[in-house]
Amino acid sequence: MAKIKVENSFIWVILAAIRIYSTNFLKLCSYMLFPVLGQVLGLLLVFCLAGVFSAYWPELADKYEMFNDMAVVMISVVLLTIPGLLIFTKAFWEYLLVYGAMNSVTECFLTTGKIYDYPAHKATVTKKAFNFIALWILYSIFISLGLIPFLWIPAAIFFVYFILIFQVFSFEQGNPVDYFTRSFDLIKGNLIRTLLIMCIIVFFTHFIFVLGVSVIFDVTHLTQFLGSLFENTIIEFIPIDEINDFMLMVNPSFDLLTAAKISAFFIYQVVAFVVIGFTLPLRSITWALWYKALREKELKKEAKPVKKKAVKRVSQEIIDRANRKFQD
């Protein structure tokens, strides 16, 4: 595979990211198997074990006096959910690591034309784990503040300016606050192009790809098959009739809920989560390439005054030598 030359063009960034992702699709998907499916498995395990215990709790309470104690019941639920929570937490951490490691993967592909040795790329993140965790905490606080209604507009603007914080983390030195300010400096003057990249990538990974896979599930009847597995659980644990009665009071034209509708919606959400998860490398590669493009542009600007200064210094040296020769 030939190396890719960095170009300062948002179109080049998108096309190059698609090229890297598509030509290494199976390898990149293998990196995402546990981070994505592990989260799904962990949550399913939590809800399934808690649901089974809830279903059999009345029988257990009749047979064993200890299960009439709410403290015992709560402890039992916690113990049953621990395995699922551990799997989910481990998978979620790996998911975050992939987003950071993809920056190193992209750098590797740009220089060698290949993607290999993923553990080494992941180590570029884990060796700076403290900064990585602190960066995610600060980013989570920023996102949480952005959910406040009167902060939506400024938060959306700053979200674009801070889109490269994880790329700065991977490619430069500093602390978590520096990553935010550095990303702001890089995006400054490139806001519109950055926003275009973001809209295009989100449109495809969060809508088109999700819709495409959902259609495949519907055509192959996978949605119906998987939904039927959850319908009995939904009927048992979700008070559908009570919800319908309440909604009809609020809105007489409300489209009544059914177990089939709820299960189909649940399957769609799982499909969306999985598709968006498996396209995480595409988004990370895109922003790594955009960082490289903006950094290349920045270096070219920095090189100009340095070159002029060097020429001026050489000229002065020539003049000084000429003066000394004249004096001699």
Side-chain angles (χ1 to χ4, degrees), residues 266-306:
F266 173 75
I267 296 301
Y268 177 81
Q269 295 304 315
V270 173
V271 169
F273 175 80
V274 171
V275 173
I276 293 171
F278 273 96
T279 55
L280 174 72
L282 175 59
R283 295 189 294 278
S284 184
I285 290 169
T286 300
W287 295 123
L289 291 174
W290 188 228
Y291 167 88
K292 288 291 184 181
L294 295 180
R295 180 59 180 149
E296 190 83 6
K297 177 183 176 182
E298 188 180 59
L299 289 173
K300 288 180 180 179
K301 286 184 177 180
E302 292 175 354
K304 289 181 180 180
V306 173

Side-chain angles (χ1 to χ4, degrees), residues 128 131 168-169 172-179:
K128 297 194 293 182
N131 276 356
V168 176
F169 161 83
E172 300 185 17
Q173 299 297 321
N175 59 61
V177 175
D178 293 334
Y179 305 147

Side-chain angles (χ1 to χ4, degrees), residues 21 49 71-72 78 97 138 157 171 193 224 238 266 296:
Y21 181 73
L49 291 178
V72 174
V78 170
L97 289 179
L138 288 178
I157 295 172
F171 296 125
R193 292 194 297 166
Q224 183 179 358
I238 297 180
F266 173 75
E296 190 83 6

Side-chain angles (χ1 to χ4, degrees), residues 36-210:
V36 175
L37 299 184
Q39 292 184 67
V40 176
L41 175 62
L43 290 178
L44 283 177
L45 198 59
V46 167
F47 288 110
C48 286
L49 291 178
V52 169
F53 178 81
S54 177
Y56 285 96
W57 172 63
E59 295 181 20
L60 292 172
D62 290 337
K63 291 182 179 180
Y64 306 101
E65 183 63 28
M66 61 183 293
F67 286 105
N68 288 306
D69 187 344
M70 289 307 298
V72 174
V73 172
M74 294 301 296
I75 292 173
S76 300
V77 171
V78 170
L79 290 176
L80 286 171
T81 57
I82 284 177
L85 288 175
L86 289 176
I87 294 173
F88 173 81
T89 303
K90 173 63 175 174
F92 182 69
W93 171 244
E94 292 292 330
Y95 187 84
L96 298 181
L97 289 179
V98 169
Y99 190 74
M102 280 300 114
N103 297 314
S104 178
V105 168
T106 305
E107 173 77 8
C108 178
F109 190 90
L110 290 175
T111 54
T112 67
K114 298 178 181 179
I115 291 178
Y116 55 91
D117 197 7
Y118 176 69
H121 296 300
K122 189 167 69 171
T124 63
V125 181
T126 55
K127 70 181 182 181
K128 297 194 293 182
F130 178 81
N131 276 356
F132 188 65
I133 294 171
L135 180 58
W136 271 110
I137 292 174
L138 288 178
Y139 187 63
S140 299
I141 293 172
F142 164 69
I143 295 297
S144 299
L145 292 175
L147 296 176
I148 301 173
F150 67 87
L151 292 178
W152 284 352
I153 294 177
I157 295 172
F158 278 105
F159 180 81
V160 181
Y161 277 109
F162 294 152
I163 198 68
L164 297 180
I165 54 175
F166 292 99
Q167 285 64 45
V168 176
F169 161 83
S170 294
F171 296 125
E172 300 185 17
Q173 299 297 321
N175 59 61
V177 175
D178 293 334
Y179 305 147
F180 281 88
T181 56
R182 182 74 177 111
S183 176
F184 186 93
D185 290 338
L186 286 168
I187 300 299
K188 187 168 56 179
N190 300 282
L191 181 65
I192 301 301
R193 292 194 297 166
T194 305
L195 185 60
L196 283 173
I197 295 173
M198 183 184 299
C199 291
I200 292 171
I201 291 298
V202 169
F203 176 71
F204 278 97
T205 61
H206 288 66
F207 180 72
I208 295 297
F209 293 165
V210 173

